[in-house]
Amino acid sequence: NECGSARRASREWWLHVALLCVPLLAVYLHIPPPQLSPALDSWRTSGHFFTFRGNHIFYKESVGVVGSSDVLLLLHGFPTSSYDWYKIWDPLTQRFNRVIALDFLGFGFSHKPRPHRYSIFEQASVVETLVAHLGLSEQRINILSHDYGDTVALELLYRSDHNRSGHITINSLCLSNGGIFPETHYPRFLQKVLKDSGFISPVLTRLINFQFFSRGIKDVFGPYTQPTEAEFWDMWTGIRFNDGNLVMDSILQYINQRLKHRERWVGALTSTSTPLHMIYGPLDPVNPHPEFIQLYQKLVQRSTVSVLDEHVSHYPQLEDPTGFFNAYLSFINSF
């Protein structure tokens, strides 16, 4: 009897805890997104939108050097946005006539439909639609990409080299710290959990908060190149905008797509005659040194490579903007 009474008391205690937690959890799951910082709001207000299959896609464009016709298209990584390029934006406008960056569907200030099957193929079509929208379909485009954007760039390269309808004519391609080889790509724990957890993933995406996000993403920056607290908040704000945290599990299927379509995308990289370059932060835990860069140099022998300072990790354009820009400038001026 005493044991039975103890068990009942224990069940009642846990029931009270659960009843207390339910409203607290409900409040937690409906925390409004953070306000845009002045810098992030300025980035948004200086940009524009175009429509892709009923979705509004954000892009930013600057007209730079007069007398030059060179166009540069910037493709960002996961899980951030076009704002990743802000540290080198002004220097790039001093070299190129037009500098263009977009937020992919599901990222940044663009629409984030759900439920939706996000794919690299669709993101490549988003880019092609933007180029057509800007009247640049006949222009030779230089592409500078990072991370997730590297794989989108490889799909664009495949379409360009195979003369697919509506393709972009690529003048040059520079990649940076993207997991383009599944065999040397080591996703973070949260990425693996979200992409493979099935019906649990929508619950997990609601439970991610700023503290959890910042602890995770700081691991892909070098110990001496960490973002400031304000920069972490700008990244998180871009994700929370339009409830982007709720589509992260769907977007993360790109990791599986890389494996499935490896022959197509790595094949495009190894067979193209387009000028290629890789800018690499060697402290990257996602694409670790020397495993990643050795495989890249073995398979892509036509490409040149810039390995940055040993303290630079997965976000080289943010961690070492001067070194990154100089490496890119050296490449783009070499042909």
Side-chain angles (χ1 to χ4, degrees):
N1 290 337
E2 290 180 359
C3 289
S5 297
R7 284 195 294 268
R8 283 194 298 273
S10 177
R11 284 197 298 268
E12 290 175 359
W13 185 85
W14 281 110
L15 179 60
H16 289 140
V17 170
L19 290 174
L20 179 64
C21 287
V22 165
L24 293 176
L25 183 62
V27 170
Y28 170 73
L29 294 179
H30 289 85
I31 292 176
Q35 294 293 313
L36 301 184
S37 69
L40 201 56
D41 186 57
S42 176
W43 186 268
R44 182 179 66 87
T45 56
S46 65
H48 311 276
F49 290 87
F50 72 99
T51 301
F52 174 83
R53 299 175 185 171
N55 294 293
H56 293 165
I57 305 297
F58 174 84
Y59 71 97
K60 180 178 170 68
E61 178 186 22
S62 289
V63 177
V65 177
V66 177
S68 170
S69 61
D70 291 347
V71 176
L72 176 62
L73 178 63
L74 305 170
L75 306 179
H76 68 80
F78 176 90
T80 40
S81 69
S82 60
Y83 193 61
D84 289 350
W85 304 107
Y86 83 96
K87 287 188 177 181
I88 61 171
W89 186 266
D90 287 341
L92 289 172
T93 63
Q94 297 173 24
R95 170 58 179 80
F96 292 90
N97 176 251
R98 296 173 78 170
V99 179
I100 304 155
L102 79 158
D103 289 346
F104 290 122
L105 184 68
F107 293 79
F109 298 124
S110 293
H111 274 181
K112 299 167 180 178
R114 68 180 200 277
H116 188 81
R117 291 188 175 184
Y118 291 87
S119 77
I120 294 297
F121 298 101
E122 181 180 50
Q123 303 289 18
S125 296
V126 169
V127 175
E128 290 175 338
T129 302
L130 171 60
V131 170
H133 171 77
L134 294 174
L136 297 172
S137 296
E138 304 302 319
Q139 181 79 37
R140 298 185 66 83
I141 307 292
N142 299 286
I143 296 178
L144 173 56
S145 60
H146 171 244
D147 184 63
Y148 180 89
D150 283 7
T151 305
V152 178
L154 294 184
E155 172 58 21
L156 292 168
L157 183 65
Y158 178 90
R159 296 182 186 187
S160 179
D161 286 352
H162 288 78
N163 202 29
R164 295 294 178 88
S165 177
H167 71 85
I168 295 173
T169 302
I170 300 176
N171 188 57
S172 70
L173 172 59
C174 180
L175 310 168
S176 59
N177 285 81
I180 53 179
F181 306 123
E183 58 269 41
T184 62
H185 180 238
Y186 297 88
R188 311 308 293 164
F189 173 75
L190 181 59
Q191 291 179 316
K192 291 187 285 187
V193 169
L194 287 178
K195 79 178 181 70
D196 293 328
S197 293
F199 69 92
I200 300 176
S201 294
V203 177
L204 297 177
T205 58
R206 288 183 177 275
L207 293 174
I208 299 171
N209 60 12
F210 171 73
Q211 286 72 26
F212 196 85
F213 164 77
S214 59
R215 280 200 302 269
I217 201 164
K218 73 182 297 184
D219 290 341
V220 300
F221 284 80
Y224 305 110
T225 58
Q226 288 286 306
T228 64
E229 183 81 356
E231 289 170 335
F232 277 131
W233 271 108
D234 282 340
M235 292 178 191
W236 177 239
T237 301
I239 292 170
R240 283 297 317 274
F241 194 88
N242 287 339
D243 293 326
N245 56 305
L246 303 184
V247 302
M248 291 175 69
D249 57 324
S250 300
I251 293 174
L252 277 164
Q253 297 309 307
Y254 78 86
I255 297 175
N256 298 329
Q257 293 164 21
R258 279 174 171 168
L259 181 61
K260 181 178 180 180
H261 302 288
R262 183 193 186 282
E263 183 177 348
R264 178 186 179 99
W265 293 330
V266 175
L269 187 62
T270 58
S271 64
T272 189
S273 59
T274 299
L276 298 172
H277 191 66
M278 168 66 73
I279 302 177
Y280 179 61
L283 205 57
D284 187 357
V286 182
N287 308 287
H289 185 275
E291 185 180 356
F292 169 80
I293 203 65
Q294 287 179 350
L295 182 60
Y296 181 85
Q297 291 175 311
K298 176 183 176 181
L299 296 181
V300 196
Q301 296 181 5
R302 289 190 59 261
S303 175
T304 51
V305 172
S306 295
V307 178
L308 301 182
D309 183 87
E310 62 182 2
H311 300 299
V312 178
S313 186
H314 185 67
Y315 274 86
Q317 76 276 38
L318 292 174
E319 299 177 67
D320 183 13
T322 300
F324 187 95
F325 174 74
N326 288 338
Y328 184 63
L329 196 64
S330 178
F331 162 64
I332 208 70
N333 289 335
S334 67
F335 59 92

